[in-house]
Amino acid sequence: MTRFAARLLYFFAGLIGRLPWSWQMRLGDAIAALWQRRDARESRVVRVNLALAYPELLAAEREQWQRAIMRTTARQAVETLRLWTRPHAENLRLLREQHGTELFDAALSSGKGLIVAAPHYGNWELLNQWLAWRTPLAILYRPPESAVGEAFLNLVRADTDAQRVTQVRAEGAAVRQLWKRLSAGGVVGILPDQQPKAGDGEFAPFFGVPALTMTLLGRLAERTGATVLFAYCERIDTHTDNPGFALRIEAAPAGIADADPQRACDVLNATVERIARRDPAQYQWTYKRYTLRPSGNGEDNPYRSG
């Protein structure tokens, strides 16, 4: 039954994915307008995050940013349905520019293992497809609470050759699986700006606010000697008939593999923040990044009322 429900979801996603680009963008804009009119969860979370990350903005400026973020977020949601349900080769033609691929090639040929840190910036699903096209890899992910949702994600994120993409649940056994793959010279993809469970990270500044940050990436890099690269697919063209993206791959700062987990987390967050500041509207501000607060500092969950 779970598999059938996932297939049914895929069918409806495919219907939306076959709409012309201009229709998809209008649908995204309509969803964004609905979120704001009803002050939906997404709208409230963005408002809180902007107040925390950009306290210097005037109220009118913050409202303008919020509208832009809502529009980009909704468009990306619709856009991703298209990417999930259309041939990957067709999707990859949306990449108008590619920067830093020589770093990726060098890391692959070194045989030391490669960790691709992919922040929630631009369209990370398009990045996943590019990575799967270039090399077999394991992707660390946090499973949805719904079994149907997880089955759907497994369905849409699988490459045409399922052997090229291994999805690893972010659970205790994940560390061993990722360690084994990296030690064998393989490739691992990690979303570095997801909040870990309490006890699985360190608090480090993110836009000037302490955020619980994963230590997993730094530990894997330090103990395996794997290369760490940051990668993202940034929107560079929002033309209604054919949007375009730029693939950008960057070397991680040396401190990303520091033996001190606090130092490694500081470097990780600083790098993600730098990328997010390129175009704040393309970052996933609808994510509750600051729910867990440092013990004993008296701060409450800022999203509690949302």
Side-chain angles (χ1 to χ4, degrees), residues 153-235:
L153 283 182
N154 287 330
L155 181 64
V156 299
R157 284 178 172 170
D159 190 70
T160 51
D161 178 0
Q163 298 302 313
R164 296 184 69 82
V165 180
T166 301
Q167 298 203 84
V168 179
R169 293 167 65 100
E171 298 173 343
V175 177
R176 293 191 296 274
Q177 294 183 57
L178 300 181
W179 178 290
K180 183 177 180 180
R181 182 173 287 261
L182 291 171
S183 298
V187 181
V188 166
I190 296 178
L191 297 166
D193 46 355
Q194 287 187 326
Q195 181 177 249
K197 295 179 180 178
D200 289 344
E202 297 282 348
F203 280 94
F206 187 57
F207 285 86
V209 181
L212 189 62
T213 304
M214 68 165 60
T215 55
L216 173 62
L217 191 153
R219 286 191 287 119
L220 286 173
E222 191 264 329
R223 296 178 186 179
T224 65
T227 301
V228 181
L229 298 176
F230 281 80
Y232 49 98
C233 287
E234 183 178 50
R235 288 180 190 78

Side-chain angles (χ1 to χ4, degrees), residues 38-302:
R38 295 192 173 182
D39 198 25
R41 171 200 172 277
E42 292 79 4
S43 183
R44 297 194 302 271
V45 172
V46 170
R47 185 184 306 117
V48 171
N49 281 335
L50 288 180
L52 291 169
Y54 292 93
E56 72 279 7
L57 291 179
L58 298 175
E61 293 175 315
R62 193 172 295 128
E63 184 177 346
Q64 183 178 7
W65 281 37
Q66 184 181 12
R67 286 196 300 269
I69 290 168
M70 288 287 91
R71 183 171 59 251
T72 302
T73 301
R75 283 186 175 187
Q76 176 174 324
V78 177
E79 166 189 285
T80 297
L81 295 179
R82 184 188 187 100
L83 295 176
W84 277 343
T85 57
R86 301 295 284 264
H88 292 188
E90 175 185 316
N91 296 335
L92 293 177
R93 287 198 287 271
L94 297 173
L95 294 174
R96 308 283 179 78
E97 301 175 10
Q98 297 189 28
H99 305 274
T101 54
E102 69 281 358
L103 298 174
F104 186 84
D105 293 338
L108 287 183
S109 62
S110 72
K112 296 190 305 179
L114 169 60
I115 299 172
V116 178
H120 287 88
Y121 178 84
N123 195 303
W124 48 94
E125 295 296 343
L126 183 58
L127 174 64
N128 286 343
Q129 293 183 11
W130 184 87
L131 291 171
W133 170 64
R134 292 299 308 273
T135 182
L137 78 157
I139 297 176
L140 183 70
Y141 78 107
R142 180 173 297 169
E145 295 181 2
S146 163
V148 174
E150 181 172 9
F152 176 72
L153 283 182
N154 287 330
L155 181 64
V156 299
R157 284 178 172 170
D159 190 70
T160 51
D161 178 0
Q163 298 302 313
R164 296 184 69 82
V165 180
T166 301
Q167 298 203 84
V168 179
R169 293 167 65 100
E171 298 173 343
V175 177
R176 293 191 296 274
Q177 294 183 57
L178 300 181
W179 178 290
K180 183 177 180 180
R181 182 173 287 261
L182 291 171
S183 298
V187 181
V188 166
I190 296 178
L191 297 166
D193 46 355
Q194 287 187 326
Q195 181 177 249
K197 295 179 180 178
D200 289 344
E202 297 282 348
F203 280 94
F206 187 57
F207 285 86
V209 181
L212 189 62
T213 304
M214 68 165 60
T215 55
L216 173 62
L217 191 153
R219 286 191 287 119
L220 286 173
E222 191 264 329
R223 296 178 186 179
T224 65
T227 301
V228 181
L229 298 176
F230 281 80
Y232 49 98
C233 287
E234 183 178 50
R235 288 180 190 78
I236 56 173
D237 184 359
T238 57
H239 192 281
T240 56
D241 293 328
N242 191 13
F245 296 82
L247 170 71
R248 303 191 188 279
I249 299 175
E250 305 171 358
I256 202 76
D258 199 289
D260 179 358
Q262 182 65 64
R263 168 62 179 158
C265 287
D266 288 346
V267 172
L268 176 61
N269 277 2
T271 307
V272 174
E273 179 178 333
R274 177 183 56 77
I275 293 170
R277 286 184 182 275
R278 291 177 59 89
D279 181 359
Q282 294 198 44
Y283 190 66
Q284 191 189 30
W285 293 107
T286 55
Y287 180 63
K288 294 182 178 182
R289 185 68 176 86
Y290 303 106
T291 56
L292 298 176
R293 310 312 306 137
S295 177
N297 73 348
E299 293 182 9
D300 292 326
N301 177 354

